[in-house]
Amino acid sequence: MTEYLARLNPEQRAAVETVDGPLLVLAGAGTGKTRVLTTRFAHILMTRRAYPNQVLAVTFTNKAAREMRERVAAILGQPAEGLWLGTFHALCARMLRRHADLVGLSSNFSILDTDDQMRLLKQVMDAAGVDMKRWPPQGMMAIIQRWKDRGLTPARITPADDSDFANNRARSLYAAYQERLVQLNATDFGDLMLHMTEILRTHPDVLANYHRMFRYILVDEYQDTNTVQYLWLRLLAQRPDPAERNICCVGDDDQSIYSWRGAEIENILRFEKDFPGATIVRLESNYRSTAPILAAASGLIAKNSGRLGKTLRPGRNDAKGDKVRVVSLWDSEEEARMVGSRIEAARRAGDNLSETAILVRAGFQTRAFEERMITLGIPYRVIGGQKFYERAEIRDAMAYLRVLNQPADDLAFERIVNTPKRGLGDTAIRAIHDVARAEQRPLVVAAWRLIEMGALRPKPRAALRELLEGFARWREMLPKDGHVVVAATLLDESGYTEMWKQDKSPEAPGRLDNLKELVRALGEFETLAGFLEHVALVMENDENAEGERVSLMTLHAAKGLEFDSVFLPGWEEGLFPHQRALDEGGEKGLEEERRLAYVGITRARKRCVISHAANRRIYANWTSQIPSRFLDELPPDQVVVEGGAGAERQRLMNQPSAFGNGQFPLVARKPRIIEAGSWEVNERPARASALPQGTRVFHQKFGYGRVVAVDDNKLDVEFDKAGRKRVLDTFVEKA
């Protein structure tokens, strides 16, 4: 037995040695799919079934391609040269250089970055006389990229595929954009696959050449392929002789979670239809997680109907461990405290912080956990995105609030004076700066002076006057309406939220969610100034701290990662499964959300803690939450239910829930609603304080003290050294 085969279990070895004919490897989480893929690649070369340049190996990331190259070289005992190994787009770019003339390009074509693509599209839309305020270029670009992901050239767009964008002119704009790219001898990222797929479709001689060239095809993460990737692979794999269709696709239909960026789970589900007689090998021995974690994940995903089916089982003899914990809490603030205290306890017990992760469904959820980590002094990092207060939309909104609080804040004013666009070009901004320097005045005063002097063109002058008068009006509202209502009103009336509503990019809904979470955060502070000071201190958190850190990320960003301890907060209807996914995708959306839950649970090696809150402030609103239906779908014998927030919640523990077995009931409360423009800001539901009068507490800034009065979540504390202060209960610990 060859050494590299001896390291495989029977399932893995079958996947490696089934070399001829179509093969689908269903590789569950933690079952060693990378080992199988790389060993299979090396096995084909070691047994001399093909030369290195006769194997096409496709990955989704450059990192995966590098790892595969290194592992193949390690098995071969020498560098692997001449491989056709890379990402879909890298391989298509390499092919397209050879055949560029077939789509009107030269072999030295340029690949435009995102900014250049947008600039070119704006030129095209401007030449066509499109009103870009009414029809934003970002929306048109999203339509073009969606068409390219589906393998649709302008000529292939049917009435059913067409869009009513810009009064039914989307198709003609797409055609004009493609013509300009050819004139510039350029492609955008989507063209790399689109052009090569079209060449293979329309030039049989080119396709026949690649059929002769590639004897074996290997594909990683097949469940994440979109339509054009699927078409390209199918064209290359459908050799004239069915006996020579040696394509091996490795993937997991239970981890298909990227439909929002074009992935089609149907690609993996119809593999046997595309390649009759295909062999299917299931990798079900998981070497990552304990038996209870695997059983919980398998029980949950079994509720999906659109799957090929497999059941994970522990691959190690020592896979016994703790059951999955489901913690019921009163509200989202108590949830953040629970997660923080458990991480702190584990840290004291010697656990490595780098082996702990908090995985959230939506980006706005990170803020509460970031602030909790900072309060407790626990180092953390945000993976796959920026920290909450570093995001562009939050920085913009904070700049608006800083000008509201302090009109002389020139840096903040400069950031937002033309955001959203108000027609103030570089010349106008420079004029404001010139007056400010000449008169030694803040930029706001200088802007008023320019308006009075009539030094600006009418349109930008009117827009600037409207902004400055808006700040004066919002400032007058503060004493009467409070900073939360004013902040919501400001973001609406300034046009900032409308800017993101008009943005058609995939990121725009998340940015709006983050803005609403910012308004929600304001409600935790008595004054705007207090909030701004708090954020300034948060931003001072040491960004360059070395050593162990808790990982904080969305579930989508967690795929492929693993940790000893995983916290999964926010398992409530509307949040997880996410309401937007249900509204837009229906049953398919629900099944993808369930796959996302499966991915979250299977990130955990030893411990998995799922939590849900009876009350949560989502996008500035306190709401009563229904526990996620996914909780009732977990196998009861693999779950330990903890907590309950107060006597009322304990009393309701045996009442039936909305989804089945009654473990996770709803605590119904209707918060009072404060109207704030187009926003609703709800008051926090009252609850018994976890820190009653007389409790000895510790505050990071004021030190030790004793609670002398309680007002919902606000405490009057007599501190030993700082005297009497009113603080939020989230900022003190029981001493």
Side-chain angles (χ1 to χ4, degrees), residues 390-409:
E390 293 175 353
R391 295 165 185 167
E393 66 278 10
I394 299 302
R395 285 184 176 273
D396 288 343
M398 290 296 300
Y400 271 105
L401 297 177
R402 284 165 54 192
V403 174
L404 180 67
N405 182 65
Q406 173 51 270
D409 191 331

Side-chain angles (χ1 to χ4, degrees), residues 286-301:
N286 175 287
Y287 294 92
R288 175 190 299 160
S289 306
T290 62
I293 289 172
L294 296 179
S298 295
L300 175 65
I301 201 62

Side-chain angles (χ1 to χ4, degrees), residues 289-315:
S289 306
T290 62
I293 289 172
L294 296 179
S298 295
L300 175 65
I301 201 62
K303 300 294 190 276
N304 272 7
S305 58
R307 62 191 295 258
L308 296 169
K310 64 183 174 308
T311 302
L312 293 180
R313 59 179 182 270

Side-chain angles (χ1 to χ4, degrees), residues 505-543:
S505 67
E507 297 81 18
R511 294 185 190 275
L512 286 166
D513 291 349
N514 291 337
L515 290 173
K516 292 170 183 175
E517 173 65 11
L518 179 69
V519 174
R520 165 243 174 302
L522 277 161
E524 298 180 3
F525 295 83
E526 292 188 15
T527 65
L528 176 60
F531 173 71
L532 293 173
E533 180 180 327
H534 166 74
V535 173
L537 294 173
V538 167
M539 298 287 280
E540 278 297 309
N541 187 40
D542 186 9
E543 293 298 321

